[in-house]
Amino acid sequence: MKIKYLFAFILSLIALPARAELQIDVNGAMRDPLPIAFPEMIHEGFFLGQTGNKIRDVVIADLERSGLFRIIPENSYIQELTSINEQPNFVDWKAINAHALVQSAITEIDSNHLRIEFRLWDIYAQNQMKGQSFTTTKDNWRRVAHVIADAIYERLTGEQGYFDTRIVYVSETGPKTKRTKRLAIMDQDGENHKFLTSGASMVLTPRFSPNLQKVAYMSYAGDTPRVYILDIETGRQELLGNFPGMTFAPRFSPDSKKVILSYASRGKSDIYEMDLATRTSKQLTSGGAINTSPSYSPDGSQIVFNSDRGGNQQLYIMNADGSDVHRISFGSGRYATPVWSPRGDYIAFTKMAGGQFYIGVMYPDGTGERLLASGFLVEGPTWSPNGRVLMYFRQDNSTASPVRLYSIDLTGYNERMIVTPGEGSDPAWSPLLP
């Protein structure tokens, strides 16, 4: 980790008698984005100006992509800020309807390091809401930009940010009848893209470890599809377990000490849990049904999965030891790929009904079902680390259409395509980077 906090200061917003604290309600209905002024970063010299513009552009892109913020065009600004320590003229910023102001500066410490500072102001309350300063190497400016965006998002929404994260997904190329599918990883905005596997063997369903260092996935390497674990840092790949048949749909436990997966044998599949230290496995389901797509609750005490034990594909919850299995989905159609929110408040799923696919959420007790996205094919939801945004893959119109990654917020608004070099499926969102 290259970022070092030199100092961080947070001045709590002191509300004036007639002015409440500036904060966006992310749980409410669709609202107009909050107007924010974000002048050019204060700097000296051409290089610092260029780098400052790139940092500012990334912060703005992160904030606007959330759908909650709108950056006011610079040509309407009245005051020109010339120092990070300069007090804003609140009347000038209020005149252009700015509710918040981001004041920032970039300076050179030495040939390899930069200092980047920002202050967030509430224009109507006339108070500083947050301020931070970082030192970083010159090649790490993009990471700092995501951290700043997270800090602004968190202060204005009261929720943890999600911009300083990565996405691992299946990159797809070639004709539909002979696809090459390989693991790829990128920042959540599509930058710093790289491939993790060669494409010699088809891969599916990658899942991040909560400690960020490893990815579990299914690979067709060898004669039988099986679950492997890949160390992102070293590139080392290992087979998980000695199951004689097909293993698939892996997911790490919240403490990264175990992996839960499905094992198919004799026309049925059951869910197993494997301890990564001892490599001992424990069978959690049994019977003649197909049980798959398990996902732990955030505290690790329960598991949601889908099963056809009731006649068609539905969602079930059981305790982590396999006891107290009970069904939670009762709507029309079939349910699949459940995944528990990091906050524990929702379970996301794929639904198939009436010839359409849907991405939806429900409470863990099965109530409150809401469908957020629909299409010819929408599948494979994954949560942002703050539990406020879902990413999934979409294919429109027909099987000949391209497969793309999309995101949508929990309210069902702000659906956006995630730009990737080629087609993409099976996304998995990392926790915030340390």
mmCIF file with all atom_site columns, all heavy atoms in Angstrom, residues 36 54 63 148 173 188 204 240 246 253 257 370:
data_model
loop_
_atom_site.group_PDB
_atom_site.id
_atom_site.type_symbol
_atom_site.label_atom_id
_atom_site.label_alt_id
_atom_site.label_comp_id
_atom_site.label_asym_id
_atom_site.label_entity_id
_atom_site.label_seq_id
_atom_site.pdbx_PDB_ins_code
_atom_site.Cartn_x
_atom_site.Cartn_y
_atom_site.Cartn_z
_atom_site.occupancy
_atom_site.B_iso_or_equiv
_atom_site.pdbx_formal_charge
_atom_site.auth_seq_id
_atom_site.auth_comp_id
_atom_site.auth_asym_id
_atom_site.auth_atom_id
_atom_site.pdbx_PDB_model_num
ATOM 1  N N   . ILE A 1 36  ? -22.444 20.045  -6.864  1.00 0.00 ? 36  ILE A N   1
ATOM 2  C CA  . ILE A 1 36  ? -21.160 20.270  -6.197  1.00 0.00 ? 36  ILE A CA  1
ATOM 3  C C   . ILE A 1 36  ? -20.254 21.086  -7.109  1.00 0.00 ? 36  ILE A C   1
ATOM 4  O O   . ILE A 1 36  ? -20.177 20.831  -8.313  1.00 0.00 ? 36  ILE A O   1
ATOM 5  C CB  . ILE A 1 36  ? -20.462 18.932  -5.865  1.00 0.00 ? 36  ILE A CB  1
ATOM 6  C CG1 . ILE A 1 36  ? -21.310 18.107  -4.899  1.00 0.00 ? 36  ILE A CG1 1
ATOM 7  C CG2 . ILE A 1 36  ? -19.077 19.157  -5.286  1.00 0.00 ? 36  ILE A CG2 1
ATOM 8  C CD1 . ILE A 1 36  ? -20.699 16.757  -4.563  1.00 0.00 ? 36  ILE A CD1 1
ATOM 9  N N   . LYS A 1 54  ? -5.902  15.133  -13.878 1.00 0.00 ? 54  LYS A N   1
ATOM 10 C CA  . LYS A 1 54  ? -6.240  13.708  -13.977 1.00 0.00 ? 54  LYS A CA  1
ATOM 11 C C   . LYS A 1 54  ? -6.883  13.211  -12.681 1.00 0.00 ? 54  LYS A C   1
ATOM 12 O O   . LYS A 1 54  ? -7.858  12.445  -12.715 1.00 0.00 ? 54  LYS A O   1
ATOM 13 C CB  . LYS A 1 54  ? -4.985  12.893  -14.310 1.00 0.00 ? 54  LYS A CB  1
ATOM 14 C CG  . LYS A 1 54  ? -4.472  13.123  -15.725 1.00 0.00 ? 54  LYS A CG  1
ATOM 15 C CD  . LYS A 1 54  ? -3.384  12.146  -16.112 1.00 0.00 ? 54  LYS A CD  1
ATOM 16 C CE  . LYS A 1 54  ? -2.095  12.365  -15.347 1.00 0.00 ? 54  LYS A CE  1
ATOM 17 N NZ  . LYS A 1 54  ? -0.999  11.497  -15.842 1.00 0.00 ? 54  LYS A NZ  1
ATOM 18 N N   . LEU A 1 63  ? -17.850 10.153  -8.559  1.00 0.00 ? 63  LEU A N   1
ATOM 19 C CA  . LEU A 1 63  ? -19.010 10.747  -7.905  1.00 0.00 ? 63  LEU A CA  1
ATOM 20 C C   . LEU A 1 63  ? -20.218 10.790  -8.839  1.00 0.00 ? 63  LEU A C   1
ATOM 21 O O   . LEU A 1 63  ? -21.334 10.445  -8.442  1.00 0.00 ? 63  LEU A O   1
ATOM 22 C CB  . LEU A 1 63  ? -18.672 12.154  -7.409  1.00 0.00 ? 63  LEU A CB  1
ATOM 23 C CG  . LEU A 1 63  ? -17.616 12.243  -6.303  1.00 0.00 ? 63  LEU A CG  1
ATOM 24 C CD1 . LEU A 1 63  ? -17.307 13.708  -5.988  1.00 0.00 ? 63  LEU A CD1 1
ATOM 25 C CD2 . LEU A 1 63  ? -18.075 11.515  -5.046  1.00 0.00 ? 63  LEU A CD2 1
ATOM 26 N N   . ILE A 1 148 ? -10.122 9.770   -2.316  1.00 0.00 ? 148 ILE A N   1
ATOM 27 C CA  . ILE A 1 148 ? -10.777 11.066  -2.119  1.00 0.00 ? 148 ILE A CA  1
ATOM 28 C C   . ILE A 1 148 ? -12.266 10.966  -2.448  1.00 0.00 ? 148 ILE A C   1
ATOM 29 O O   . ILE A 1 148 ? -13.123 11.479  -1.705  1.00 0.00 ? 148 ILE A O   1
ATOM 30 C CB  . ILE A 1 148 ? -10.100 12.147  -2.975  1.00 0.00 ? 148 ILE A CB  1
ATOM 31 C CG1 . ILE A 1 148 ? -8.689  12.425  -2.457  1.00 0.00 ? 148 ILE A CG1 1
ATOM 32 C CG2 . ILE A 1 148 ? -10.917 13.440  -2.982  1.00 0.00 ? 148 ILE A CG2 1
ATOM 33 C CD1 . ILE A 1 148 ? -7.875  13.350  -3.344  1.00 0.00 ? 148 ILE A CD1 1
ATOM 34 N N   . THR A 1 173 ? -14.157 -13.705 -25.379 1.00 0.00 ? 173 THR A N   1
ATOM 35 C CA  . THR A 1 173 ? -13.811 -13.346 -26.754 1.00 0.00 ? 173 THR A CA  1
ATOM 36 C C   . THR A 1 173 ? -14.080 -14.534 -27.667 1.00 0.00 ? 173 THR A C   1
ATOM 37 O O   . THR A 1 173 ? -14.228 -15.670 -27.204 1.00 0.00 ? 173 THR A O   1
ATOM 38 C CB  . THR A 1 173 ? -12.327 -12.949 -26.880 1.00 0.00 ? 173 THR A CB  1
ATOM 39 O OG1 . THR A 1 173 ? -11.506 -14.035 -26.398 1.00 0.00 ? 173 THR A OG1 1
ATOM 40 C CG2 . THR A 1 173 ? -12.017 -11.690 -26.082 1.00 0.00 ? 173 THR A CG2 1
ATOM 41 N N   . GLN A 1 188 ? -12.661 -0.615  -10.243 1.00 0.00 ? 188 GLN A N   1
ATOM 42 C CA  . GLN A 1 188 ? -14.109 -0.572  -10.430 1.00 0.00 ? 188 GLN A CA  1
ATOM 43 C C   . GLN A 1 188 ? -14.555 0.354   -11.560 1.00 0.00 ? 188 GLN A C   1
ATOM 44 O O   . GLN A 1 188 ? -15.665 0.220   -12.075 1.00 0.00 ? 188 GLN A O   1
ATOM 45 C CB  . GLN A 1 188 ? -14.817 -0.182  -9.127  1.00 0.00 ? 188 GLN A CB  1
ATOM 46 C CG  . GLN A 1 188 ? -14.374 1.143   -8.511  1.00 0.00 ? 188 GLN A CG  1
ATOM 47 C CD  . GLN A 1 188 ? -14.959 2.378   -9.137  1.00 0.00 ? 188 GLN A CD  1
ATOM 48 O OE1 . GLN A 1 188 ? -16.052 2.323   -9.671  1.00 0.00 ? 188 GLN A OE1 1
ATOM 49 N NE2 . GLN A 1 188 ? -14.255 3.493   -9.079  1.00 0.00 ? 188 GLN A NE2 1
ATOM 50 N N   . LEU A 1 204 ? -15.110 -19.915 -14.980 1.00 0.00 ? 204 LEU A N   1
ATOM 51 C CA  . LEU A 1 204 ? -16.422 -19.371 -14.625 1.00 0.00 ? 204 LEU A CA  1
ATOM 52 C C   . LEU A 1 204 ? -16.447 -18.977 -13.155 1.00 0.00 ? 204 LEU A C   1
ATOM 53 O O   . LEU A 1 204 ? -15.607 -19.427 -12.364 1.00 0.00 ? 204 LEU A O   1
ATOM 54 C CB  . LEU A 1 204 ? -17.532 -20.397 -14.892 1.00 0.00 ? 204 LEU A CB  1
ATOM 55 C CG  . LEU A 1 204 ? -17.779 -20.835 -16.339 1.00 0.00 ? 204 LEU A CG  1
ATOM 56 C CD1 . LEU A 1 204 ? -18.756 -22.010 -16.362 1.00 0.00 ? 204 LEU A CD1 1
ATOM 57 C CD2 . LEU A 1 204 ? -18.322 -19.681 -17.172 1.00 0.00 ? 204 LEU A CD2 1
ATOM 58 N N   . LEU A 1 240 ? -8.658  -27.051 -5.438  1.00 0.00 ? 240 LEU A N   1
ATOM 59 C CA  . LEU A 1 240 ? -9.245  -27.102 -4.109  1.00 0.00 ? 240 LEU A CA  1
ATOM 60 C C   . LEU A 1 240 ? -9.896  -28.464 -3.894  1.00 0.00 ? 240 LEU A C   1
ATOM 61 O O   . LEU A 1 240 ? -10.933 -28.781 -4.479  1.00 0.00 ? 240 LEU A O   1
ATOM 62 C CB  . LEU A 1 240 ? -10.296 -25.992 -3.959  1.00 0.00 ? 240 LEU A CB  1
ATOM 63 C CG  . LEU A 1 240 ? -10.929 -25.862 -2.575  1.00 0.00 ? 240 LEU A CG  1
ATOM 64 C CD1 . LEU A 1 240 ? -9.889  -25.448 -1.531  1.00 0.00 ? 240 LEU A CD1 1
ATOM 65 C CD2 . LEU A 1 240 ? -12.063 -24.841 -2.598  1.00 0.00 ? 240 LEU A CD2 1
ATOM 66 N N   . MET A 1 246 ? -17.228 -33.225 -10.485 1.00 0.00 ? 246 MET A N   1
ATOM 67 C CA  . MET A 1 246 ? -17.285 -31.793 -10.781 1.00 0.00 ? 246 MET A CA  1
ATOM 68 C C   . MET A 1 246 ? -17.565 -30.974 -9.524  1.00 0.00 ? 246 MET A C   1
ATOM 69 O O   . MET A 1 246 ? -18.473 -31.269 -8.759  1.00 0.00 ? 246 MET A O   1
ATOM 70 C CB  . MET A 1 246 ? -18.382 -31.543 -11.817 1.00 0.00 ? 246 MET A CB  1
ATOM 71 C CG  . MET A 1 246 ? -18.640 -30.094 -12.126 1.00 0.00 ? 246 MET A CG  1
ATOM 72 S SD  . MET A 1 246 ? -19.976 -29.942 -13.347 1.00 0.00 ? 246 MET A SD  1
ATOM 73 C CE  . MET A 1 246 ? -20.143 -28.163 -13.436 1.00 0.00 ? 246 MET A CE  1
ATOM 74 N N   . SER A 1 253 ? -15.709 -17.908 2.956   1.00 0.00 ? 253 SER A N   1
ATOM 75 C CA  . SER A 1 253 ? -16.367 -17.500 4.196   1.00 0.00 ? 253 SER A CA  1
ATOM 76 C C   . SER A 1 253 ? -15.940 -16.071 4.531   1.00 0.00 ? 253 SER A C   1
ATOM 77 O O   . SER A 1 253 ? -14.921 -15.580 4.025   1.00 0.00 ? 253 SER A O   1
ATOM 78 C CB  . SER A 1 253 ? -15.974 -18.445 5.340   1.00 0.00 ? 253 SER A CB  1
ATOM 79 O OG  . SER A 1 253 ? -14.576 -18.386 5.581   1.00 0.00 ? 253 SER A OG  1
ATOM 80 N N   . LYS A 1 257 ? -11.274 -18.212 5.852   1.00 0.00 ? 257 LYS A N   1
ATOM 81 C CA  . LYS A 1 257 ? -10.662 -19.456 6.303   1.00 0.00 ? 257 LYS A CA  1
ATOM 82 C C   . LYS A 1 257 ? -11.286 -20.697 5.670   1.00 0.00 ? 257 LYS A C   1
ATOM 83 O O   . LYS A 1 257 ? -10.721 -21.786 5.737   1.00 0.00 ? 257 LYS A O   1
ATOM 84 C CB  . LYS A 1 257 ? -10.749 -19.564 7.830   1.00 0.00 ? 257 LYS A CB  1
ATOM 85 C CG  . LYS A 1 257 ? -9.917  -18.511 8.562   1.00 0.00 ? 257 LYS A CG  1
ATOM 86 C CD  . LYS A 1 257 ? -10.025 -18.673 10.061  1.00 0.00 ? 257 LYS A CD  1
ATOM 87 C CE  . LYS A 1 257 ? -9.170  -17.639 10.782  1.00 0.00 ? 257 LYS A CE  1
ATOM 88 N NZ  . LYS A 1 257 ? -9.256  -17.780 12.261  1.00 0.00 ? 257 LYS A NZ  1
ATOM 89 N N   . ARG A 1 370 ? -38.025 -7.127  -4.430  1.00 0.00 ? 370 ARG A N   1
ATOM 90 C CA  . ARG A 1 370 ? -38.046 -6.034  -5.411  1.00 0.00 ? 370 ARG A CA  1
ATOM 91 C C   . ARG A 1 370 ? -37.179 -6.424  -6.595  1.00 0.00 ? 370 ARG A C   1
ATOM 92 O O   . ARG A 1 370 ? -36.066 -6.921  -6.412  1.00 0.00 ? 370 ARG A O   1
ATOM 93 C CB  . ARG A 1 370 ? -37.510 -4.731  -4.807  1.00 0.00 ? 370 ARG A CB  1
ATOM 94 C CG  . ARG A 1 370 ? -38.420 -4.096  -3.791  1.00 0.00 ? 370 ARG A CG  1
ATOM 95 C CD  . ARG A 1 370 ? -37.949 -2.704  -3.395  1.00 0.00 ? 370 ARG A CD  1
ATOM 96 N NE  . ARG A 1 370 ? -36.694 -2.750  -2.655  1.00 0.00 ? 370 ARG A NE  1
ATOM 97 C CZ  . ARG A 1 370 ? -35.549 -2.201  -3.062  1.00 0.00 ? 370 ARG A CZ  1
ATOM 98 N NH1 . ARG A 1 370 ? -35.493 -1.580  -4.242  1.00 0.00 ? 370 ARG A NH1 1
ATOM 99 N NH2 . ARG A 1 370 ? -34.461 -2.266  -2.318  1.00 0.00 ? 370 ARG A NH2 1
#
